[in-house]
């Protein structure tokens, strides 16, 4: 899946992206339909805060490289240029086994979503082999089935201050749940002391730097992954609404001042390990 969905190395996704740029329709490569349809739904439910069609913007920021660049951010004009073309998954049309985009600015980048799908698949493979209790850990993002000897699986969430692998909280995850975290504290570029994280606010074209980390628990890996990213983009006022629209009721959010807020449903799953200056609870609006 890493190869198939790689956003900038040769592979099927990159082939589709090249067709979009050239205004061509091509045959839809096998296995791509379902994730693309899911990504379309997640983009719309997140009101575009999760937007996997902004590959050009991500490339402009230099995020299409294993090592993020240093130096000044891209020019305002270049960012405004790309925003004006408003790439969206809604531009993509799939018909009779072919795929095309009516907007040549669309470049798919599934970096915020496909790991969740991969963890779902890994668990499905284990289940198909008769395993009933398992935890799959993809770099700190996990999915679980069954239980840990009759008790819920416990998942540690790293403290976003990054100091020495400190644990912020321990969460309980039950059968079929996925715990995903999005943060700006591990992958970022830095210029003159200012850090720019790798999560972009598709509305402004600039990194969403108000939040340091968002952890969600959801029943689908793809929803958990894309949802954590979307909620990292969402502001203080709007994140409960976006969470409700995505059907995610368990959210833990740490803002730039280290303040922790979480939903009522998350509170029941969390044990905070670090003494916190401020913890608040938010209820979600009815969806
Ligand atoms: P992680 O790398 O920790 O899994 P995310 O799941 O949040 O973090 O994914 C971040 C990646 O998603 C970025 O590196 C980029 O490729 C892509 N991305 C950044 N901002 C957005 C966004 N608003 N919508 C969709 N994808 C994004
Ligand atoms: Mg994500």
């Amino acid at each position: 899946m890493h190869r198939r969905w790689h956003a900038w190395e040769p592979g099927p996704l990159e082939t589709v992206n090249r067709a979009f740029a050239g205004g061509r329709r091509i045959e839809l490569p096998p296995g791509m339909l379902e994730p693309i349809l899911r990504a379309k739904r997640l983009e719309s439910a997140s009101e575009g805060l999760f937007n996997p069609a902004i590959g050009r913007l991500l490339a402009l920021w230099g995020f299409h490289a294993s090592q993020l660049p240093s130096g000044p951010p891209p020019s305002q004009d270049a960012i405004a240029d790309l925003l004006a073309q408003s790439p969206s998954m809604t531009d993509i049309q799939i018909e009779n086994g072919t795929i095309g985009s009516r907007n040549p600015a669309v470049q798919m980048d599934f970096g915020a979503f496909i790991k969740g799908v991969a963890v779902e698949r890994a668990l499905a493979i284990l289940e198909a082999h008769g395993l009933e209790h398992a935890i799959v850990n993809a770099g700190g993002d996990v999915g679980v089935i069954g239980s840990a000897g009759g008790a819920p699986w416990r998942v540690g969430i790293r403290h976003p201050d990054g100091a020495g692998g400190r644990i912020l909280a321990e969460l309980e995850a039950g059968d079929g749940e996925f715990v995903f975290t999005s943060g700006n504290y591990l992958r970022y570029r830095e210029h003159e002391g200012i850090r720019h994280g790798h999560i972009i606010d598709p509305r402004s074209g600039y990194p969403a730097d108000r939040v340091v980390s968002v952890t969600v628990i959801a029943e689908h890996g793809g929803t958990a992954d894309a949802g954590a990213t979307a909620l990292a983009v969402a502001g203080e006022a709007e994140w409960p609404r976006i969470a409700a629209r995505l059907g995610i009721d368990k959210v833990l959010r740490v803002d730039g001042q280290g303040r922790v807020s979480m939903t009522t449903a998350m509170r029941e799953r969390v044990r905070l390990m670090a003494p916190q200056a401020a913890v608040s609870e938010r209820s979600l609006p009815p969806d």
Side-chain angles (χ1 to χ4, degrees):
M1 286 187 69
H2 180 75
R3 268 197 306 277
R4 182 183 307 154
W5 292 98
H6 208 288
W8 66 89
E9 282 172 8
L13 185 67
E14 188 254 357
T15 303
V16 172
N17 278 338
R18 250 185 302 123
F20 287 176
R24 286 177 283 118
R25 295 193 71 80
I26 59 165
E27 203 179 306
L28 184 62
M32 280 204 164
L33 179 63
E34 202 222 326
I36 289 176
L37 295 180
R38 285 176 72 185
K40 276 176 175 262
R41 286 196 295 272
L42 288 162
E43 181 193 300
S44 127
S46 71
E47 299 180 3
L49 300 187
F50 163 71
N51 180 346
I54 59 168
R56 282 213 171 144
L57 197 54
L58 298 167
L60 180 67
W61 275 95
F63 297 160
H64 283 176
S66 310
Q67 191 79 41
L68 299 194
S70 52
S75 80
Q76 267 180 19
D77 285 353
I79 292 170
D81 243 31
L82 288 182
L83 280 191
Q85 301 176 63
S86 33
S88 159
M89 294 297 286
T90 57
D91 295 319
I92 296 171
Q93 291 148 331
I94 297 174
E95 273 159 24
N96 306 322
T98 67
I99 185 166
S101 170
R102 61 180 174 215
N103 180 349
V106 167
Q107 293 283 283
M108 292 185 287
D109 177 315
F110 278 27
F113 163 66
I114 209 69
K115 199 208 280 180
V117 178
V119 173
E120 288 172 11
R121 296 264 167 92
L123 284 169
I125 291 168
L126 294 176
E127 277 189 299
H129 283 77
L131 274 91
E132 290 166 17
H133 307 282
I135 183 162
V136 170
N137 181 346
D141 294 319
V142 310
V144 313
I145 52 172
S147 65
W153 289 101
R154 292 205 307 274
V155 180
I157 304 301
R158 193 200 302 241
H159 200 293
D161 72 7
R166 200 149 69 92
I167 299 293
L168 169 72
E170 201 177 81
L171 309 190
E172 288 183 351
D175 185 29
E177 288 186 331
F178 296 81
V179 183
F180 271 68
T181 300
S182 263
N184 271 328
Y185 56 96
L186 287 178
R187 203 165 142 77
Y188 52 82
R189 53 185 284 174
E190 197 159 359
H191 179 62
E192 292 171 349
I194 299 176
R195 284 181 183 185
H196 290 293
H198 71 144
I199 297 170
I200 297 285
D201 185 335
R203 299 166 298 190
S204 67
Y206 282 81
D209 285 334
R210 286 164 300 187
V211 156
V212 283
S213 112
V214 172
T215 300
V216 306
I217 304 180
E219 273 142 41
H220 298 283
T223 307
D225 194 353
T229 305
L231 296 178
V233 173
E236 173 69 28
E238 62 200 343
W239 74 259
R241 183 185 79 245
I242 303 292
R245 290 201 46 161
L246 286 162
I248 299 175
D249 67 343
K250 299 175 193 72
V251 183
L252 182 149
R253 182 178 187 269
V254 185
D255 73 9
Q257 279 78 53
R259 287 182 302 223
V260 175
S261 45
M262 56 184 130
T263 57
T264 312
M266 181 61 112
R267 182 132 223 173
E268 290 164 16
R269 302 294 195 87
V270 171
R271 194 152 66 94
L272 285 172
M273 310 299 276
Q276 289 306 311
V279 179
S280 60
E281 197 169 310
R282 294 281 290 269
S283 53
L284 297 186
D287 183 28

